[in-house]
Amino acid sequence: MRTLRRTPDRALLRDAAAIAAAMVAVGASFGAIAVAYGLPTWVPFVMSTAVFAGGAQFLAVGLIAAGNPLAAIVAGLLLNARHLPFGLAVAGTVGDRWRDRLIGSHLMTDEVVAFTLREADPGRRRRTYWLIGITLFTSWNAGSALGVLLGGATGDPAALGLDAAFPAGLIALILPSLRDRATRTVALAGAVVAVVLTPVLPAGLPVLSALLGLFALFAPRRRREESRELEEVSC
């Protein structure tokens, strides 16, 4: 019975395989684009292993090829600043040992966090985190290597619609969480803020600005406090 409980169910394995397939495809595109930009073949290998940042790698490769490595670093930090609240959300899941935290933080991606937080059981959360994290890390690096070998044959992921695979997967994962009214309010407020600021701010900042949607949680509290004060005064 223990073995059965510890084994991830078929649904999780199926989801991991599906998103890993998309990761291989997009990773192959990254490797091909890096080579097409004229960068040494070792660059995509090193970035995929040491950085493992998905969209930030695409942006960084373009800026490095344009001769602006400092901008690539700054842009990467801005795009991945969202990992700070992600890390707080899954801190108790990764483990207490420094080795687990070090490796676990490196494997942390949007998809890993989304898959993990949908699980209620702590033990299952931990297994999900490591299963999805290791699966995506290996599939991304395999895809990058494939892209380097194939050269420029893969092309732009947007041409095949692969750029929509990850957002679509994330939306499907967070839908159950949107049943909560407070969560829906914050998500909607954050989405509005991001959309409004997209034409004004550089790429990456509108997503960070969506965190301002959290202030929507305080509006109902203030209204309730004001109504209570009015009731007390009337009494």
Side-chain angles (χ1 to χ4, degrees):
M1 293 296 293
R2 287 185 179 180
T3 304
L4 292 176
R5 290 178 182 177
R6 291 181 180 178
T7 302
D9 57 29
R10 293 181 179 179
L12 178 60
L13 292 175
R14 181 192 62 215
D15 293 342
I19 203 167
M23 184 72 87
V24 170
V26 180
S29 180
F30 166 72
I33 289 174
V35 174
Y37 278 148
L39 297 177
T41 54
W42 59 267
V43 171
F45 288 106
V46 172
M47 289 186 67
S48 295
T49 303
V51 180
F52 186 47
Q57 290 184 218
F58 279 98
L59 179 61
V61 163
L63 292 173
I64 292 174
N68 199 342
L70 180 59
I73 296 174
V74 174
L77 291 174
L78 288 175
L79 286 176
N80 291 298
R82 68 189 186 282
H83 286 181
L84 293 175
F86 286 173
L88 295 175
V90 299
T93 301
V94 176
D96 297 328
R97 294 182 295 181
W98 68 268
R99 182 191 62 186
D100 295 339
R101 290 183 177 273
L102 183 63
I103 300 175
S105 61
H106 187 60
L107 297 177
M108 185 174 61
T109 65
D110 301 28
E111 296 80 20
V112 173
V113 174
F115 269 94
T116 301
L117 294 183
R118 75 174 184 177
E119 302 292 346
D121 179 68
R124 185 171 174 79
R125 272 193 173 190
R126 181 177 174 83
R127 293 193 297 273
T128 299
Y129 186 94
W130 287 103
L131 172 64
I132 301 298
I134 294 174
T135 299
L136 295 188
F137 180 79
T138 54
S139 58
W140 174 262
N141 279 272
S144 298
L146 179 63
V148 171
L149 295 176
L150 294 178
T154 314
D156 185 0
L160 299 176
L162 295 175
D163 55 326
F166 293 109
L170 287 175
I171 291 174
L173 289 172
I174 66 173
L175 281 178
S177 301
L178 296 180
R179 296 174 183 173
D180 179 66
R181 183 176 180 180
T183 304
R184 288 199 305 269
T185 302
V186 171
L188 180 61
V192 171
V193 170
V195 171
V196 170
L197 295 179
T198 294
V200 180
L201 298 179
L205 289 182
V207 177
L208 298 179
S209 301
L211 292 174
L212 295 174
L214 292 171
F215 287 101
L217 292 174
F218 299 101
R221 292 181 182 178
R222 290 179 179 176
R223 293 175 183 174
R224 287 196 297 267
E225 291 176 358
E226 291 176 357
S227 61
R228 288 177 183 175
E229 291 177 358
L230 291 175
E231 292 177 358
E232 292 176 357
V233 171
S234 58
C235 294

PDB file of all heavy atoms in Angstrom, residues 30 33-34 37 39 47 55-79 203:
ATOM      1  N   PHE A  30      14.873  27.392 -28.767  1.00  0.00           N
ATOM      2  CA  PHE A  30      15.871  28.246 -28.127  1.00  0.00           C
ATOM      3  C   PHE A  30      17.276  27.907 -28.612  1.00  0.00           C
ATOM      4  O   PHE A  30      18.066  28.792 -28.957  1.00  0.00           O
ATOM      5  CB  PHE A  30      15.807  28.088 -26.612  1.00  0.00           C
ATOM      6  CG  PHE A  30      17.001  28.662 -25.905  1.00  0.00           C
ATOM      7  CD1 PHE A  30      17.183  30.035 -25.799  1.00  0.00           C
ATOM      8  CD2 PHE A  30      17.969  27.822 -25.353  1.00  0.00           C
ATOM      9  CE1 PHE A  30      18.294  30.567 -25.166  1.00  0.00           C
ATOM     10  CE2 PHE A  30      19.072  28.344 -24.712  1.00  0.00           C
ATOM     11  CZ  PHE A  30      19.242  29.723 -24.620  1.00  0.00           C
ATOM     12  N   ILE A  33      17.716  29.103 -32.220  1.00  0.00           N
ATOM     13  CA  ILE A  33      17.814  30.562 -32.328  1.00  0.00           C
ATOM     14  C   ILE A  33      19.168  31.056 -31.835  1.00  0.00           C
ATOM     15  O   ILE A  33      19.767  31.966 -32.416  1.00  0.00           O
ATOM     16  CB  ILE A  33      16.668  31.225 -31.545  1.00  0.00           C
ATOM     17  CG1 ILE A  33      15.349  31.002 -32.276  1.00  0.00           C
ATOM     18  CG2 ILE A  33      16.911  32.721 -31.362  1.00  0.00           C
ATOM     19  CD1 ILE A  33      14.130  31.490 -31.515  1.00  0.00           C
ATOM     20  N   ALA A  34      19.667  30.451 -30.748  1.00  0.00           N
ATOM     21  CA  ALA A  34      20.974  30.851 -30.230  1.00  0.00           C
ATOM     22  C   ALA A  34      22.068  30.630 -31.272  1.00  0.00           C
ATOM     23  O   ALA A  34      22.952  31.473 -31.462  1.00  0.00           O
ATOM     24  CB  ALA A  34      21.290  30.072 -28.946  1.00  0.00           C
ATOM     25  N   TYR A  37      21.808  33.151 -34.123  1.00  0.00           N
ATOM     26  CA  TYR A  37      22.340  34.470 -33.777  1.00  0.00           C
ATOM     27  C   TYR A  37      23.862  34.522 -33.857  1.00  0.00           C
ATOM     28  O   TYR A  37      24.459  35.572 -33.654  1.00  0.00           O
ATOM     29  CB  TYR A  37      21.892  34.870 -32.375  1.00  0.00           C
ATOM     30  CG  TYR A  37      20.509  35.452 -32.308  1.00  0.00           C
ATOM     31  CD1 TYR A  37      19.711  35.254 -31.172  1.00  0.00           C
ATOM     32  CD2 TYR A  37      19.973  36.196 -33.353  1.00  0.00           C
ATOM     33  CE1 TYR A  37      18.432  35.780 -31.094  1.00  0.00           C
ATOM     34  CE2 TYR A  37      18.695  36.719 -33.277  1.00  0.00           C
ATOM     35  CZ  TYR A  37      17.929  36.512 -32.153  1.00  0.00           C
ATOM     36  OH  TYR A  37      16.666  37.031 -32.074  1.00  0.00           O
ATOM     37  N   LEU A  39      25.940  32.763 -31.888  1.00  0.00           N
ATOM     38  CA  LEU A  39      26.594  32.514 -30.602  1.00  0.00           C
ATOM     39  C   LEU A  39      27.276  31.150 -30.619  1.00  0.00           C
ATOM     40  O   LEU A  39      26.842  30.237 -31.328  1.00  0.00           O
ATOM     41  CB  LEU A  39      25.561  32.557 -29.472  1.00  0.00           C
ATOM     42  CG  LEU A  39      24.853  33.899 -29.262  1.00  0.00           C
ATOM     43  CD1 LEU A  39      23.810  33.766 -28.153  1.00  0.00           C
ATOM     44  CD2 LEU A  39      25.850  34.997 -28.921  1.00  0.00           C
ATOM     45  N   MET A  47      23.619  28.040 -20.624  1.00  0.00           N
ATOM     46  CA  MET A  47      22.463  28.791 -20.143  1.00  0.00           C
ATOM     47  C   MET A  47      21.344  27.859 -19.693  1.00  0.00           C
ATOM     48  O   MET A  47      20.716  28.085 -18.646  1.00  0.00           O
ATOM     49  CB  MET A  47      21.956  29.730 -21.237  1.00  0.00           C
ATOM     50  CG  MET A  47      22.852  30.916 -21.520  1.00  0.00           C
ATOM     51  SD  MET A  47      22.096  32.075 -22.689  1.00  0.00           S
ATOM     52  CE  MET A  47      20.724  32.691 -21.708  1.00  0.00           C
ATOM     53  N   GLY A  55      11.743  31.821 -20.846  1.00  0.00           N
ATOM     54  CA  GLY A  55      11.574  33.064 -21.591  1.00  0.00           C
ATOM     55  C   GLY A  55      12.711  34.038 -21.389  1.00  0.00           C
ATOM     56  O   GLY A  55      13.084  34.774 -22.320  1.00  0.00           O
ATOM     57  N   ALA A  56      13.287  34.078 -20.188  1.00  0.00           N
ATOM     58  CA  ALA A  56      14.408  34.972 -19.927  1.00  0.00           C
ATOM     59  C   ALA A  56      15.616  34.598 -20.781  1.00  0.00           C
ATOM     60  O   ALA A  56      16.413  35.463 -21.151  1.00  0.00           O
ATOM     61  CB  ALA A  56      14.780  34.931 -18.444  1.00  0.00           C
ATOM     62  N   GLN A  57      15.762  33.312 -21.109  1.00  0.00           N
ATOM     63  CA  GLN A  57      16.880  32.893 -21.945  1.00  0.00           C
ATOM     64  C   GLN A  57      16.716  33.397 -23.379  1.00  0.00           C
ATOM     65  O   GLN A  57      17.684  33.823 -24.004  1.00  0.00           O
ATOM     66  CB  GLN A  57      17.004  31.364 -21.933  1.00  0.00           C
ATOM     67  CG  GLN A  57      17.479  30.801 -20.607  1.00  0.00           C
ATOM     68  CD  GLN A  57      17.685  29.303 -20.652  1.00  0.00           C
ATOM     69  OE1 GLN A  57      17.388  28.597 -19.695  1.00  0.00           O
ATOM     70  NE2 GLN A  57      18.184  28.778 -21.755  1.00  0.00           N
ATOM     71  N   PHE A  58      15.489  33.347 -23.899  1.00  0.00           N
ATOM     72  CA  PHE A  58      15.236  33.886 -25.238  1.00  0.00           C
ATOM     73  C   PHE A  58      15.595  35.368 -25.287  1.00  0.00           C
ATOM     74  O   PHE A  58      16.257  35.839 -26.222  1.00  0.00           O
ATOM     75  CB  PHE A  58      13.763  33.713 -25.616  1.00  0.00           C
ATOM     76  CG  PHE A  58      13.421  32.342 -26.114  1.00  0.00           C
ATOM     77  CD1 PHE A  58      12.853  31.407 -25.278  1.00  0.00           C
ATOM     78  CD2 PHE A  58      13.646  31.995 -27.439  1.00  0.00           C
ATOM     79  CE1 PHE A  58      12.515  30.146 -25.733  1.00  0.00           C
ATOM     80  CE2 PHE A  58      13.314  30.730 -27.910  1.00  0.00           C
ATOM     81  CZ  PHE A  58      12.753  29.802 -27.055  1.00  0.00           C
ATOM     82  N   LEU A  59      15.152  36.116 -24.267  1.00  0.00           N
ATOM     83  CA  LEU A  59      15.431  37.548 -24.216  1.00  0.00           C
ATOM     84  C   LEU A  59      16.921  37.805 -24.073  1.00  0.00           C
ATOM     85  O   LEU A  59      17.485  38.680 -24.743  1.00  0.00           O
ATOM     86  CB  LEU A  59      14.671  38.175 -23.049  1.00  0.00           C
ATOM     87  CG  LEU A  59      14.860  39.671 -22.834  1.00  0.00           C
ATOM     88  CD1 LEU A  59      14.396  40.447 -24.051  1.00  0.00           C
ATOM     89  CD2 LEU A  59      14.098  40.127 -21.597  1.00  0.00           C
ATOM     90  N   ALA A  60      17.582  37.029 -23.217  1.00  0.00           N
ATOM     91  CA  ALA A  60      19.007  37.231 -22.972  1.00  0.00           C
ATOM     92  C   ALA A  60      19.836  36.953 -24.220  1.00  0.00           C
ATOM     93  O   ALA A  60      20.775  37.692 -24.526  1.00  0.00           O
ATOM     94  CB  ALA A  60      19.472  36.346 -21.822  1.00  0.00           C
ATOM     95  N   VAL A  61      19.480  35.899 -24.953  1.00  0.00           N
ATOM     96  CA  VAL A  61      20.222  35.558 -26.173  1.00  0.00           C
ATOM     97  C   VAL A  61      20.137  36.689 -27.187  1.00  0.00           C
ATOM     98  O   VAL A  61      21.125  37.066 -27.830  1.00  0.00           O
ATOM     99  CB  VAL A  61      19.690  34.237 -26.765  1.00  0.00           C
ATOM    100  CG1 VAL A  61      20.127  34.087 -28.210  1.00  0.00           C
ATOM    101  CG2 VAL A  61      20.186  33.057 -25.962  1.00  0.00           C
ATOM    102  N   GLY A  62      18.941  37.268 -27.337  1.00  0.00           N
ATOM    103  CA  GLY A  62      18.779  38.368 -28.277  1.00  0.00           C
ATOM    104  C   GLY A  62      19.599  39.582 -27.888  1.00  0.00           C
ATOM    105  O   GLY A  62      20.221  40.229 -28.742  1.00  0.00           O
ATOM    106  N   LEU A  63      19.625  39.902 -26.591  1.00  0.00           N
ATOM    107  CA  LEU A  63      20.365  41.068 -26.128  1.00  0.00           C
ATOM    108  C   LEU A  63      21.875  40.830 -26.193  1.00  0.00           C
ATOM    109  O   LEU A  63      22.640  41.740 -26.501  1.00  0.00           O
ATOM    110  CB  LEU A  63      19.944  41.419 -24.697  1.00  0.00           C
ATOM    111  CG  LEU A  63      18.509  41.946 -24.549  1.00  0.00           C
ATOM    112  CD1 LEU A  63      18.141  42.092 -23.083  1.00  0.00           C
ATOM    113  CD2 LEU A  63      18.345  43.277 -25.284  1.00  0.00           C
ATOM    114  N   ILE A  64      22.299  39.614 -25.901  1.00  0.00           N
ATOM    115  CA  ILE A  64      23.728  39.292 -25.991  1.00  0.00           C
ATOM    116  C   ILE A  64      24.190  39.369 -27.438  1.00  0.00           C
ATOM    117  O   ILE A  64      25.255  39.905 -27.745  1.00  0.00           O
ATOM    118  CB  ILE A  64      24.008  37.892 -25.401  1.00  0.00           C
ATOM    119  CG1 ILE A  64      23.788  37.904 -23.886  1.00  0.00           C
ATOM    120  CG2 ILE A  64      25.436  37.448 -25.719  1.00  0.00           C
ATOM    121  CD1 ILE A  64      23.892  36.529 -23.246  1.00  0.00           C
ATOM    122  N   ALA A  65      23.366  38.831 -28.337  1.00  0.00           N
ATOM    123  CA  ALA A  65      23.713  38.888 -29.755  1.00  0.00           C
ATOM    124  C   ALA A  65      23.767  40.331 -30.254  1.00  0.00           C
ATOM    125  O   ALA A  65      24.519  40.653 -31.173  1.00  0.00           O
ATOM    126  CB  ALA A  65      22.697  38.090 -30.569  1.00  0.00           C
ATOM    127  N   ALA A  66      22.959  41.201 -29.625  1.00  0.00           N
ATOM    128  CA  ALA A  66      22.952  42.618 -30.005  1.00  0.00           C
ATOM    129  C   ALA A  66      24.104  43.380 -29.368  1.00  0.00           C
ATOM    130  O   ALA A  66      24.250  44.587 -29.603  1.00  0.00           O
ATOM    131  CB  ALA A  66      21.630  43.253 -29.619  1.00  0.00           C
ATOM    132  N   GLY A  67      24.913  42.692 -28.561  1.00  0.00           N
ATOM    133  CA  GLY A  67      26.068  43.334 -27.932  1.00  0.00           C
ATOM    134  C   GLY A  67      25.762  44.046 -26.637  1.00  0.00           C
ATOM    135  O   GLY A  67      26.482  44.984 -26.260  1.00  0.00           O
ATOM    136  N   ASN A  68      24.709  43.653 -25.935  1.00  0.00           N
ATOM    137  CA  ASN A  68      24.339  44.322 -24.692  1.00  0.00           C
ATOM    138  C   ASN A  68      24.136  43.294 -23.582  1.00  0.00           C
ATOM    139  O   ASN A  68      23.013  43.055 -23.134  1.00  0.00           O
ATOM    140  CB  ASN A  68      23.061  45.137 -24.896  1.00  0.00           C
ATOM    141  CG  ASN A  68      22.889  46.200 -23.819  1.00  0.00           C
ATOM    142  OD1 ASN A  68      23.508  46.131 -22.763  1.00  0.00           O
ATOM    143  ND2 ASN A  68      22.043  47.181 -24.084  1.00  0.00           N
ATOM    144  N   PRO A  69      25.204  42.679 -23.082  1.00  0.00           N
ATOM    145  CA  PRO A  69      25.062  41.648 -22.047  1.00  0.00           C
ATOM    146  C   PRO A  69      24.546  42.194 -20.720  1.00  0.00           C
ATOM    147  O   PRO A  69      23.866  41.486 -19.980  1.00  0.00           O
ATOM    148  CB  PRO A  69      26.491  41.097 -21.903  1.00  0.00           C
ATOM    149  CG  PRO A  69      27.375  42.189 -22.402  1.00  0.00           C
ATOM    150  CD  PRO A  69      26.612  42.866 -23.494  1.00  0.00           C
ATOM    151  N   LEU A  70      24.859  43.474 -20.417  1.00  0.00           N
ATOM    152  CA  LEU A  70      24.380  44.056 -19.159  1.00  0.00           C
ATOM    153  C   LEU A  70      22.849  44.143 -19.162  1.00  0.00           C
ATOM    154  O   LEU A  70      22.189  43.835 -18.162  1.00  0.00           O
ATOM    155  CB  LEU A  70      24.981  45.446 -18.962  1.00  0.00           C
ATOM    156  CG  LEU A  70      24.571  46.174 -17.673  1.00  0.00           C
ATOM    157  CD1 LEU A  70      24.973  45.360 -16.450  1.00  0.00           C
ATOM    158  CD2 LEU A  70      25.195  47.570 -17.621  1.00  0.00           C
ATOM    159  N   ALA A  71      22.289  44.559 -20.296  1.00  0.00           N
ATOM    160  CA  ALA A  71      20.833  44.615 -20.406  1.00  0.00           C
ATOM    161  C   ALA A  71      20.226  43.226 -20.279  1.00  0.00           C
ATOM    162  O   ALA A  71      19.124  43.068 -19.744  1.00  0.00           O
ATOM    163  CB  ALA A  71      20.432  45.246 -21.736  1.00  0.00           C
ATOM    164  N   ALA A  72      20.931  42.214 -20.774  1.00  0.00           N
ATOM    165  CA  ALA A  72      20.441  40.844 -20.665  1.00  0.00           C
ATOM    166  C   ALA A  72      20.345  40.419 -19.201  1.00  0.00           C
ATOM    167  O   ALA A  72      19.376  39.766 -18.794  1.00  0.00           O
ATOM    168  CB  ALA A  72      21.364  39.901 -21.431  1.00  0.00           C
ATOM    169  N   ILE A  73      21.328  40.818 -18.403  1.00  0.00           N
ATOM    170  CA  ILE A  73      21.324  40.472 -16.975  1.00  0.00           C
ATOM    171  C   ILE A  73      20.175  41.175 -16.262  1.00  0.00           C
ATOM    172  O   ILE A  73      19.427  40.564 -15.484  1.00  0.00           O
ATOM    173  CB  ILE A  73      22.672  40.839 -16.327  1.00  0.00           C
ATOM    174  CG1 ILE A  73      23.791  39.995 -16.941  1.00  0.00           C
ATOM    175  CG2 ILE A  73      22.618  40.642 -14.824  1.00  0.00           C
ATOM    176  CD1 ILE A  73      25.180  40.391 -16.474  1.00  0.00           C
ATOM    177  N   VAL A  74      20.029  42.477 -16.519  1.00  0.00           N
ATOM    178  CA  VAL A  74      18.972  43.258 -15.859  1.00  0.00           C
ATOM    179  C   VAL A  74      17.598  42.738 -16.250  1.00  0.00           C
ATOM    180  O   VAL A  74      16.707  42.559 -15.405  1.00  0.00           O
ATOM    181  CB  VAL A  74      19.100  44.749 -16.216  1.00  0.00           C
ATOM    182  CG1 VAL A  74      17.921  45.541 -15.648  1.00  0.00           C
ATOM    183  CG2 VAL A  74      20.417  45.312 -15.683  1.00  0.00           C
ATOM    184  N   ALA A  75      17.401  42.474 -17.542  1.00  0.00           N
ATOM    185  CA  ALA A  75      16.112  41.973 -18.016  1.00  0.00           C
ATOM    186  C   ALA A  75      15.798  40.600 -17.408  1.00  0.00           C
ATOM    187  O   ALA A  75      14.656  40.329 -17.032  1.00  0.00           O
ATOM    188  CB  ALA A  75      16.113  41.889 -19.537  1.00  0.00           C
ATOM    189  N   GLY A  76      16.820  39.754 -17.302  1.00  0.00           N
ATOM    190  CA  GLY A  76      16.618  38.447 -16.698  1.00  0.00           C
ATOM    191  C   GLY A  76      16.205  38.540 -15.241  1.00  0.00           C
ATOM    192  O   GLY A  76      15.332  37.800 -14.788  1.00  0.00           O
ATOM    193  N   LEU A  77      16.824  39.464 -14.507  1.00  0.00           N
ATOM    194  CA  LEU A  77      16.472  39.657 -13.100  1.00  0.00           C
ATOM    195  C   LEU A  77      15.043  40.156 -12.953  1.00  0.00           C
ATOM    196  O   LEU A  77      14.306  39.723 -12.057  1.00  0.00           O
ATOM    197  CB  LEU A  77      17.445  40.642 -12.451  1.00  0.00           C
ATOM    198  CG  LEU A  77      18.883  40.139 -12.264  1.00  0.00           C
ATOM    199  CD1 LEU A  77      19.775  41.263 -11.738  1.00  0.00           C
ATOM    200  CD2 LEU A  77      18.923  38.946 -11.304  1.00  0.00           C
ATOM    201  N   LEU A  78      14.639  41.060 -13.832  1.00  0.00           N
ATOM    202  CA  LEU A  78      13.277  41.592 -13.765  1.00  0.00           C
ATOM    203  C   LEU A  78      12.249  40.512 -14.088  1.00  0.00           C
ATOM    204  O   LEU A  78      11.238  40.373 -13.393  1.00  0.00           O
ATOM    205  CB  LEU A  78      13.121  42.768 -14.736  1.00  0.00           C
ATOM    206  CG  LEU A  78      13.829  44.070 -14.347  1.00  0.00           C
ATOM    207  CD1 LEU A  78      13.692  45.105 -15.455  1.00  0.00           C
ATOM    208  CD2 LEU A  78      13.248  44.621 -13.046  1.00  0.00           C
ATOM    209  N   LEU A  79      12.508  39.752 -15.139  1.00  0.00           N
ATOM    210  CA  LEU A  79      11.554  38.720 -15.544  1.00  0.00           C
ATOM    211  C   LEU A  79      11.410  37.626 -14.491  1.00  0.00           C
ATOM    212  O   LEU A  79      10.343  37.040 -14.330  1.00  0.00           O
ATOM    213  CB  LEU A  79      11.979  38.105 -16.875  1.00  0.00           C
ATOM    214  CG  LEU A  79      11.761  38.963 -18.125  1.00  0.00           C
ATOM    215  CD1 LEU A  79      12.322  38.261 -19.353  1.00  0.00           C
ATOM    216  CD2 LEU A  79      10.284  39.253 -18.321  1.00  0.00           C
ATOM    217  N   ALA A 203       9.112  45.388 -21.209  1.00  0.00           N
ATOM    218  CA  ALA A 203       8.684  43.992 -21.085  1.00  0.00           C
ATOM    219  C   ALA A 203       9.127  43.404 -19.749  1.00  0.00           C
ATOM    220  O   ALA A 203      10.257  43.596 -19.309  1.00  0.00           O
ATOM    221  CB  ALA A 203       9.260  43.163 -22.229  1.00  0.00           C
TER     222      ALA A 203
END
